[in-house]
């Protein structure tokens, strides 16, 4: 007969895991926050790269701790779903840190290619910053779920995600209408389009985090494509 689950210190271990998850979210949020600091872009690139490396290391430690809890404590029901959701979220958060680093590097590369007189068109710049702000808002809400245990604000995140996707489409359309000289040539246009795509992918990955947490709390999945119904 297999030994019974070790329930000792499970709540304490779960508290440690929440602390590690909180730190993970903070690193990702910091990486996105500095990604658009164009006035100090080279420092921002270095900082975002360091944060991405730190996030990768933190992801390994967090995954090990989560597996240790599964092995030693054998959590049941909601605790088990939370551990499973956290394990799957580790990869998503690490990918978000990578997207933030990429955005900083794309801004640096665009500035280095921009000739005298070339600027990011106002409509494109507005769209990119709007998408960036939505990503930050979604990150804050995702942290409140995974760290503080809040319920997923389904309607609010669906509205924000829809707004992000609409802004992405409009921004790409504006970008295609601009002359090459205005956006630093074909390569410059590609860099700006890739920046928009990274932000759009960031939103997609954040919705995965919300879906994982909603399942951990309710044992049901959110069908985001159909408005959560």
């Amino acid at each position: 007969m297999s030994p019974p689950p070790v329930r000792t210190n499970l709540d304490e271990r779960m508290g440690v895991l929440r602390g590690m998850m909180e730190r993970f979210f903070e690193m990702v949020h910091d990486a996105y926050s500095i990604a658009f600091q164009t006035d100090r872009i080279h420092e921002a690139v270095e900082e975002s790269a360091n944060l991405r490396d730190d996030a990768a290391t933190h992801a390994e430690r967090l995954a090990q701790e989560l597996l240790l809890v599964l092995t030693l404590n054998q959590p049941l029901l909601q605790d088990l779903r939370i551990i499973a959701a956290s394990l799957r979220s580790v990869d998503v958060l690490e990918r978000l840190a990578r997207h933030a680093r990429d955005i900083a590097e794309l801004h640096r590369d665009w500035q280095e290619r921009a000739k005298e007189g070339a600027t990011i068109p106002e409509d494109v710049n507005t769209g990119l910053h709007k998408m960036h702000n939505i990503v930050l808002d979604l990150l804050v809400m995702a942290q409140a779920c995974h760290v503080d245990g809040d319920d997923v604000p389904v309607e609010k995140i669906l509205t924000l995600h829809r707004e992000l996707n609409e802004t992405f489409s409009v921004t790409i359309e504006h970008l295609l209408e601009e002359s090459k000289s205005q956006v630093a040539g074909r390569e410059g246009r590609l860099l700006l389009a890739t920046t928009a795509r990274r932000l759009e992918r960031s939103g997609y990955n954040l919705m995965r985090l919300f879906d994982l947490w909603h399942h951990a709390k309710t044992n049901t999945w959110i069908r985001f494509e159909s408005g959560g119904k």
Side-chain angles (χ1 to χ4, degrees), residues 99-165:
H99 284 333
R101 177 206 61 190
D102 292 347
I103 290 168
E105 291 179 348
L106 287 162
H107 267 279
R108 177 202 60 196
D109 293 346
W110 189 88
Q111 285 192 1
E112 291 178 349
R113 284 170 172 76
K115 297 179 181 179
E116 184 177 354
T119 58
I120 299 178
E122 183 177 353
D123 289 335
V124 174
N125 192 49
T126 299
L128 291 176
H129 278 82
K130 183 176 181 180
M131 294 175 69
H132 179 243
N133 288 332
I134 292 174
V135 167
L136 289 175
D137 288 343
L138 289 172
L139 259 174
V140 170
M141 285 185 279
Q143 178 172 337
C145 292
H146 284 262
V147 176
D148 300 329
D150 291 359
D151 293 335
V152 175
V154 177
E155 294 303 322
K156 188 171 184 178
I157 64 170
L158 285 173
T159 298
L160 284 173
H161 189 233
R162 190 180 305 114
E163 187 176 352
L164 187 147
N165 286 336

Side-chain angles (χ1 to χ4, degrees), residues 167-180:
T167 305
F168 169 73
S169 298
V170 171
T171 300
I172 292 297
E173 183 178 348
H174 284 309
L175 187 56
L176 292 175
E177 292 174 352
E178 291 291 341
S179 65
K180 292 181 180 180

Side-chain angles (χ1 to χ4, degrees), residues 35-208:
F36 269 60
Q37 294 182 6
T38 53
D39 57 330
R40 50 185 293 273
I41 190 61
H42 290 284
E43 293 88 344
V45 168
E46 183 178 356
E47 291 175 19
S48 63
N50 290 336
L51 284 166
R52 184 260 184 266
D53 291 341
D54 291 344
T57 301
H58 193 77
E60 295 177 1
R61 291 200 297 263
L62 179 54
Q64 290 173 356
E65 291 295 327
L66 289 164
L67 291 172
L68 187 62
V69 171
L70 279 176
T71 303
L72 295 180
N73 296 90
Q74 301 177 39
L76 303 175
L77 299 176
Q78 189 174 89
D79 284 336
L80 179 59
R81 292 200 303 270
I82 289 175
I83 295 295
S86 298
L87 273 169
R88 297 177 68 181
S89 298
V90 166
D91 178 66
V92 179
L93 284 165
E94 196 278 329
R95 187 177 299 115
L96 284 165
R98 195 182 333 136
H99 284 333
R101 177 206 61 190
D102 292 347
I103 290 168
E105 291 179 348
L106 287 162
H107 267 279
R108 177 202 60 196
D109 293 346
W110 189 88
Q111 285 192 1
E112 291 178 349
R113 284 170 172 76
K115 297 179 181 179
E116 184 177 354
T119 58
I120 299 178
E122 183 177 353
D123 289 335
V124 174
N125 192 49
T126 299
L128 291 176
H129 278 82
K130 183 176 181 180
M131 294 175 69
H132 179 243
N133 288 332
I134 292 174
V135 167
L136 289 175
D137 288 343
L138 289 172
L139 259 174
V140 170
M141 285 185 279
Q143 178 172 337
C145 292
H146 284 262
V147 176
D148 300 329
D150 291 359
D151 293 335
V152 175
V154 177
E155 294 303 322
K156 188 171 184 178
I157 64 170
L158 285 173
T159 298
L160 284 173
H161 189 233
R162 190 180 305 114
E163 187 176 352
L164 187 147
N165 286 336
E166 291 172 353
T167 305
F168 169 73
S169 298
V170 171
T171 300
I172 292 297
E173 183 178 348
H174 284 309
L175 187 56
L176 292 175
E177 292 174 352
E178 291 291 341
S179 65
K180 292 181 180 180
S181 60
Q182 181 70 6
V183 294
R186 179 179 177 275
E187 289 185 354
R189 188 196 306 274
L190 181 60
L191 289 168
L192 294 175
T194 304
T195 300
R197 173 61 68 181
R198 287 290 186 275
L199 289 166
E200 185 271 336
R201 288 289 86 188
S202 296
Y204 168 81
N205 281 291
L206 281 160
M207 298 304 273
R208 289 185 60 199

